[in-house]
Amino acid sequence: QVQLVESGGGVVQPGRSLRLSCAASGFTFSNHGMHWVRQPPGKGLDWVAVISYDGRTKYYADSVKGRFTISRDNSKNTVYLDMNSLTSEDTAVYRCAKEQDNRDDFFDYWGQGTLVTVSS
Amino acid sequence: IQMTQSPSSLSASVGDRVTITCRASQGIRNYLAWYQQKPGKVPKLLIYAASTLQSGVPSRFSGSGSGTDFTLTISNLQPEDVATYYCQKYRNDPWAFGQGTKVEIK
């Protein structure tokens, strides 16, 4: 069965960096685009970034452009999110999500998420 | 492109018909998905392509619309439908979500 397991969250001071990982299993990882979506405590879903199946194409939400970088290692079935210059506005649960396929790129599976808290 | 849902919350009785609307700031054809998020849980895909029910989703859920205006309907509301519902545009950047509609039971 499809599994997405995030890790790397924690408490970090404003201005510092953090790297999140999402380990995938149960499907052919290299065939699917992957996304990061965040959810601040008690608030709604906020799309963050996407990376294509081959890693060549990436897009970012305006709120994180220039600060966050998405990448993937298809040999390790893992997608990453490098987050720099963190602010309190970045405090959220971060989940990775799998696209159904390259044509229908809505999200058919989500991870449980990892909590990132930006606080001094 | 921005996605706007209404209402932000609603309260209805078991057995009621509930309708949630989602409006895109630009036309998105039928590239619209709906997700259900129960308290403390991961979002779950309900509907894609505006009206196609994901496998395993009860038939009391339905979706309609195209272009800029979309609806999610829950006929015969059940206690297990208590959740927040989100619409999302897909197919190109940004994969934006609506702000969510919280559904409660009276």
Side-chain angles (χ1 to χ4, degrees), chain A residues 12-96:
Chain A
V12 60
Q13 293 180 327
R16 303 300 290 263
S17 301
L18 205 61
R19 171 177 253 207
L20 305 183
S21 300
C22 168
S25 60
F27 65 101
T28 305
F29 181 73
S30 58
N31 285 352
H32 294 268
M34 296 293 296
H35 296 249
W36 286 95
V37 178
R38 65 184 180 183
Q39 187 167 28
K43 296 190 177 181
L45 302 174
D46 183 28
W47 174 77
V48 174
V50 59
I51 187 167
S52 61
Y53 68 99
D54 58 2
R56 293 182 178 183
T57 303
K58 306 173 187 180
Y59 292 104
Y60 299 91
D62 287 344
S63 58
V64 307
K65 209 170 288 184
R67 299 189 300 123
F68 290 11
T69 301
I70 190 170
S71 60
R72 66 190 295 159
D73 185 338
N74 284 348
S75 69
K76 295 183 178 178
N77 288 356
T78 301
V79 60
Y80 305 97
L81 186 67
D82 288 298
M83 305 185 295
N84 298 318
S85 304
L86 286 162
T87 75
S88 59
E89 300 288 302
D90 298 315
T91 293
V93 172
Y94 285 75
R95 299 185 180 96
C96 60

Side-chain angles (χ1 to χ4, degrees), chain B residues 9-38:
Chain B
S9 66
L10 64 90
S11 181
S13 299
V14 172
D16 280 356
R17 182 184 183 91
V18 166
T19 299
I20 299 168
T21 64
C22 176
R23 176 163 288 176
S25 58
Q26 298 176 32
I28 57 170
R29 300 176 68 175
N30 69 333
Y31 303 136
L32 193 283
W34 289 97
Y35 300 87
Q36 174 194 64
Q37 187 179 30
K38 295 184 178 182

